[in-house]
Amino acid sequence: MRPIKLTVSAFGPYAGKTEFDFDKLGTLFAKPGQKIAFVGSTGAGKTTIFDAITYALYGDSSGNNREVSMFRSKYTSDETPTFVKLIFNYKGKKYTIKRNPEYERVAQRGSGLTKQTAAVELILPDGKPITKTREVDKEINNIIGINRDQFCQIAMIA
C-alpha cells in the first residue's frame, strides 16, 4: 500500500484542512530491508499523521493510548468538519477512503450543536462507493491483506 495523498480536517493538532502530498515528499515508506526515519520535534504531529492513515484505513488510532473520540482538534471552530481522506495505490489500483469520527458540530437548523455521526466511504478503482462500515472494513482487509494490528506493527516500528 502506497499513500498518495492524505487530507485531514480538524484532526489532532491540525485545526483546519491540511493536505500531505506524499508523491511530492518522495519516498516515505520503506522497501524491504530499507529503513526510513520520520523525524521532527516532539509535538510536531508525526504520530498524528500515522494516526490519520490508520484511522482512514481501519477506523482506529495507530496506538493503544489514543481513542477515536480524541481525534477532533481542540483548536478548531465548531463549523469545521472533522475528517480524514486517504488516496492510496495498491497493486497499481487507486483507492480513496474518507472517514469521520462522531463529533459535535453546529446545527444546520436552529442554533446550538448537534451530533455528527461517524461515517466512512471507500471508492474502489472502478468508481463504486462502499459506505457501510463493516463492508468497508472487510474490503480494506481484503485489499491490503493485513489487519490494523499488523499494519501498526509494520508501519510504526519504533
Side-chain angles (χ1 to χ4, degrees), residues 41-68:
S41 301
T42 300
K46 300 177 300 294
T47 301
T48 304
I49 293 170
F50 286 111
D51 274 343
I53 292 170
T54 306
Y55 178 68
L57 294 171
Y58 298 103
D60 205 355
S61 70
S62 63
N64 294 325
N65 60 344
R66 291 173 306 284
E67 299 292 325
V68 171

Side-chain angles (χ1 to χ4, degrees), residues 14 30 56 59 73-74 90 114:
Y14 301 99
S73 176
K74 63 182 177 182
Y90 189 77
T114 188

Side-chain angles (χ1 to χ4, degrees), residues 3-41:
I4 297 169
K5 188 176 204 176
L6 174 69
T7 305
V8 297
S9 176
F11 189 88
Y14 301 99
K17 185 175 171 185
T18 305
E19 293 183 347
F20 301 91
D21 189 337
F22 295 113
D23 283 345
K24 288 183 181 176
L25 291 174
T27 302
L28 178 64
F29 290 82
K31 295 175 183 171
Q34 179 184 19
K35 294 180 183 177
I36 295 175
F38 198 34
V39 297
S41 301

Side-chain angles (χ1 to χ4, degrees), residues 37-109:
F38 198 34
V39 297
S41 301
T42 300
K46 300 177 300 294
T47 301
T48 304
I49 293 170
F50 286 111
D51 274 343
I53 292 170
T54 306
Y55 178 68
L57 294 171
Y58 298 103
D60 205 355
S61 70
S62 63
N64 294 325
N65 60 344
R66 291 173 306 284
E67 299 292 325
V68 171
S69 62
M70 300 166 62
F71 285 156
R72 180 150 171 89
S73 176
K74 63 182 177 182
Y75 307 110
T76 196
S77 68
D78 291 336
E79 295 82 18
T80 305
T82 298
F83 69 86
V84 172
K85 179 179 176 184
L86 177 65
I87 301 170
F88 68 95
N89 186 302
Y90 189 77
K91 293 187 177 182
K93 296 179 181 178
K94 189 165 99 172
Y95 299 85
T96 302
I97 187 163
K98 183 178 178 182
R99 284 191 200 254
N100 68 272
E102 182 177 279
Y103 64 94
E104 295 285 319
R105 64 166 171 78
V106 172
Q108 294 174 341
R109 287 174 282 196

Side-chain angles (χ1 to χ4, degrees), residues 96 120-132 135-136:
T96 302
V120 62
E121 180 180 50
L122 172 65
I123 307 293
L124 300 174
D126 64 3
K128 177 186 171 195
I130 302 174
T131 58
K132 293 185 179 173
E135 291 177 19
V136 169

